[in-house]
Amino acid sequence: MPSTTHRDRRGDTPPPRTGSSETEVLRGFLDYLRTSIAAKVDGAPEPQVRTAAVPSGTNLLGLLNHLTFVERALFLGDGVTDWQATFRAAPADSVADVVARYRKAVEQANDVLDGCTDLDAPVPKPRPGRPAPSVRWALTHMIEETGRHAGHADILRELIDGSTGR
């Protein structure tokens, strides 16, 4: 349980002011959420970062590990055989390892997205044996997925050490 005398309160970063095109808005919000959740995990203390804080077993490090797999599956075409397993980081993985792997997946996904000029076109690297969703659907889904887990991460990080803000 966090100390009631120590609260690390970062100032909230407001949503991005992006360009006016649909692509700029979608990518701007996705990058905003990606940055927010990585910041929630970066620097979180062991072993609390991987300790379940709720009955479902959800933990802070596992959330970011899961999002790494989602990014790679959606934009890089990686196959995933056990989605539940993606919610657990390997015991040997440090916080820095998981954060770096997430940031690398985001960088690679953005490289793919940089070549996507038509939101109605299918993502260029679909998962094997799966129909390719449109780029618009993929961006919207990734915003929803990242936003949902960023909210979970907000609560989990505050339970760990009182850190709040995005």
Side-chain angles (χ1 to χ4, degrees):
M1 199 61 147
S3 165
T4 56
T5 59
H6 171 68
R7 296 278 182 203
D8 177 14
R9 174 133 178 90
R10 290 190 307 258
D12 278 348
T13 303
R17 295 283 181 205
T18 62
S20 59
S21 78
E22 184 178 5
T23 299
E24 290 170 321
V25 170
L26 291 171
R27 291 202 51 196
F29 272 85
L30 179 54
D31 283 337
Y32 166 72
L33 290 168
R34 287 165 161 170
T35 299
S36 295
I37 194 163
K40 281 290 173 187
V41 177
D42 201 14
E46 290 278 5
Q48 297 93 331
V49 71
R50 63 179 78 239
T51 303
V54 293
S56 68
T58 302
N59 65 78
L60 191 58
L61 198 59
L63 287 174
L64 196 64
N65 193 66
H66 170 71
L67 285 172
T68 302
F69 278 89
V70 179
E71 290 273 356
R72 295 196 57 81
L74 198 53
F75 298 118
L76 305 174
D78 287 5
V80 176
T81 56
D82 183 356
W83 281 106
Q84 277 307 112
T86 68
F87 281 97
R88 292 181 301 279
D93 285 343
S94 69
V95 172
D97 293 335
V98 175
V99 171
R101 200 164 33 248
Y102 176 71
R103 288 183 172 142
K104 180 69 172 174
V106 165
E107 179 185 320
Q108 291 172 325
N110 278 340
D111 287 345
V112 169
L113 288 168
D114 287 346
C116 297
T117 58
D118 180 1
L119 291 175
D120 293 325
V123 292
K125 296 182 176 188
R127 288 188 289 164
R130 304 279 307 237
S134 71
V135 173
R136 177 181 290 104
W137 186 93
L139 285 168
T140 303
H141 174 63
M142 202 68 236
I143 290 167
E144 174 273 327
E145 183 83 2
T146 307
R148 178 175 184 234
H149 293 313
H152 297 144
D154 285 341
I155 293 165
L156 293 173
R157 184 64 190 257
E158 187 172 359
L159 288 170
I160 289 171
D161 64 5
S163 178
T164 62
R166 55 177 187 248

